Amino acid sequence: MSLANGRTYLAIPGPSVVPDAVLRAMHRASPNIYEGELPDMMPGLTADLKRVACTDGHVAIYISNGHGAWEAALANTVGIGEKVLVLSTGHFAQSWSRIAEARGLEVDVLEFGNGGPIDPSRVEDALRADSTHAYKAVLAVHVDTSSSNRNKFAPLRQILDDLGHPALLLADCIASMGCDRFEMDAWGVDVALTGSQKGLMCPPGLGFVFFNDKAAEARRRLKHVSMYWDWTNRSEPEAFYQYFSGTAPTHHLYGLRTALDMIHAEGMEAIWARHATLAQAIWAAVEHWGQGGPLRLNISDRAHRSHAVTALSIGKPHGTALRRWCADQAGVTLGIGLGMGTADDPKSDGYFRFGHMGHVNAHMILGLLGVVEAGLAALDIPHRAAGVAEAAKVISGV
Ligand SMILES: *Cc1c(COP(=O)(O)O)cnc(C)c1O
């Protein structure tokens, strides 16, 4: 017998749960792209996106996934053959560095492993050693979705400023924007990027690159910029057709309009607080289960744990078995372990992840944890019983 029929929950770190209101907004006949509602919507969309990133700068919207946003951020800031410094705390920083290499950039990677944050002192040493200012940009991932580590950006800005180093600071916020607190201007980030399918609660298909005037100046310095990724026209919402370098992603824009309405009705502070509390509920359950068995949170320091995604280790082959049980028996799909492989577990079978980004609330998280607890029992995976009760304490605030 399976108990999976009913509304399913895709509890993976992207794509995330799309609200019914967003789906309804997209379910319509093709709109007029020459004039009227759709082109008129653009200035409001860009203004409301910038409020999510906490920036007064500019935003370019691409028809792309996150990989496209990675490409776009580099295409507008660093010339072919120029040098960048990548600060890696996991799989996604490494993937971004490969995109940089494929573009013909010279890439230095500072590797911090996937168990914790960037160490600012090593960054300082690397930038101090770069006395000729060869690095044009420093690339870092805010929340690395593979490890669920969350990095701090203000200290990186401080190092660049203290050394008088002119490199741009680029932030991948694909997993975190609209979930974890991120304040682009206050933290001194020059370019921030994200996609539509995580905290922004839309289907995959839109990429967003936010940039300040310093980054815009870097773009003007470049001789050649791929026309598709050039952010020049794309940050002027009045130039509707040029804005998308072709046909606009009509239905996605309607979905995004509704998602941004929902986001700003709740408010950024309230959204960050909701994600923080739900994440703490998950941590409480996992730490309790772990007292009687192999389950562990991947990031030990709370201050560096994401509020949008949680990576866990459980030992091979329990991760894969638990994911299968939750999907087949209870209608909940957990995220695979990603980039955590070791010699005896190359496919990360001993890891899995919870995605808790965007349109998630207390009943979904308690349901998710209840299902996992049932799965641990059904599969005879050692754990201390009644972890869900610990999560409920966090939710109830007592
Ligand atoms: C999801 C994700 C990406 C990749 O986005 P795609 O849309 O899959 O290309 C990159 N970086 C981070 C931090 C992510 O979470």
Side-chain angles (χ1 to χ4, degrees):
M1 183 193 65
S2 168
L3 300 171
N5 289 324
R7 178 165 284 219
T8 54
Y9 176 13
L10 185 66
I12 71 173
S16 63
V17 174
V18 180
D20 291 344
V22 171
L23 294 173
R24 276 197 302 275
M26 299 179 74
H27 190 97
R28 62 173 68 215
S30 290
N32 185 351
I33 60 168
Y34 304 124
E35 60 190 1
E37 189 179 42
L38 186 66
D40 291 350
M41 213 159 77
M42 293 310 297
L45 274 185
T46 60
D48 288 344
L49 280 167
K50 290 193 286 185
R51 286 164 66 203
V52 176
C54 298
T55 182
D56 292 330
H58 318 272
V59 61
I61 306 180
Y62 296 92
I63 305 172
S64 80
N65 57 17
H67 280 64
W70 272 340
E71 186 93 34
L74 295 172
N76 285 279
T77 52
V78 188
I80 307 300
E82 290 184 332
K83 212 165 168 181
V84 298
L85 180 65
V86 177
L87 313 179
S88 169
T89 53
H91 173 84
F92 285 91
Q94 291 156 13
S95 300
W96 198 7
S97 77
R98 281 195 293 278
I99 287 200
E101 273 167 13
R103 276 193 60 73
L105 309 186
E106 226 187 287
V107 181
D108 285 348
V109 180
L110 277 186
E111 184 54 67
F112 299 93
N114 49 22
I118 291 167
D119 171 2
S121 68
R122 282 180 57 202
V123 180
E124 181 169 349
D125 292 346
L127 289 171
R128 193 185 299 280
D130 180 34
S131 55
T132 62
H133 296 166
Y135 292 130
K136 299 303 173 204
V138 176
L139 282 52
V141 176
H142 185 213
V143 164
D144 200 296
T145 323
S146 59
S147 63
S148 65
N149 174 72
R150 179 161 48 88
N151 287 310
K152 294 185 176 7
F153 278 86
L156 304 177
R157 165 49 56 201
Q158 189 69 46
I159 291 166
L160 287 163
D161 287 354
D162 288 350
L163 294 173
H165 198 298
L168 296 169
L169 182 56
L170 273 53
D172 169 351
C173 302
I174 298 175
S176 53
M177 198 174 286
C179 308
D180 276 286
R181 176 181 295 276
F182 178 79
E183 299 178 80
M184 176 171 166
D185 290 358
W187 295 356
V189 171
D190 298 304
V191 177
L193 56 95
T194 194
S196 51
Q197 80 274 24
K198 298 190 183 179
L200 297 183
M201 310 186 294
C202 291
L206 296 178
F208 308 99
V209 178
F210 301 87
F211 56 99
N212 63 13
D213 288 338
K214 184 180 167 196
E217 189 52 44
R219 156 66 191 89
R220 284 191 282 275
R221 183 181 62 82
L222 299 177
K223 277 208 205 70
H224 301 287
V225 174
S226 131
M227 203 160 151
Y228 187 76
W229 297 119
D230 191 349
W231 65 31
T232 311
N233 285 329
R234 287 173 178 269
S235 44
E236 308 207 346
E238 303 76 29
F240 185 69
Y241 197 75
Q242 297 89 317
Y243 197 91
F244 291 104
S245 296
T247 311
T250 49
H251 291 68
H252 272 73
L253 296 174
Y254 279 103
L256 178 65
R257 179 62 270 162
T258 296
L260 289 169
D261 287 343
M262 293 174 68
I263 285 170
H264 292 306
E266 183 175 359
M268 294 312 301
E269 290 290 342
I271 286 175
W272 294 331
R274 171 167 55 86
H275 282 85
T277 301
L278 295 177
Q280 284 155 19
I282 290 171
W283 305 342
V286 175
E287 282 165 354
H288 184 89
W289 290 328
Q291 287 169 22
L295 204 52
R296 295 285 180 275
L297 293 163
N298 183 53
I299 302 297
S300 50
D301 181 353
R302 286 184 156 234
H304 288 284
R305 284 183 200 152
S306 160
H307 298 160
V309 52
T310 300
L312 308 100
S313 61
I314 191 172
K316 195 175 118 180
H318 294 320
T320 302
L322 183 64
R323 283 195 308 104
R324 187 139 300 142
W325 190 92
C326 291
D328 293 348
Q329 297 301 318
V332 174
T333 303
L334 307 178
I336 58 168
L338 189 63
M340 308 294 284
T342 53
D344 68 332
D345 183 14
K347 290 167 80 181
S348 308
D349 283 334
Y351 291 83
F352 65 99
R353 292 173 300 161
F354 297 134
H356 35 103
M357 41 181 54
H359 196 55
V360 287
N361 58 20
H363 93 72
M364 294 163 75
I365 296 302
L366 287 173
L368 165 71
L369 296 171
V371 161
V372 169
E373 187 158 304
L376 292 171
L379 298 171
D380 218 7
I381 299 171
H383 65 287
R384 184 175 175 196
V388 179
E390 299 305 308
K393 283 183 201 163
V394 174
I395 301 290
S396 62
V398 297

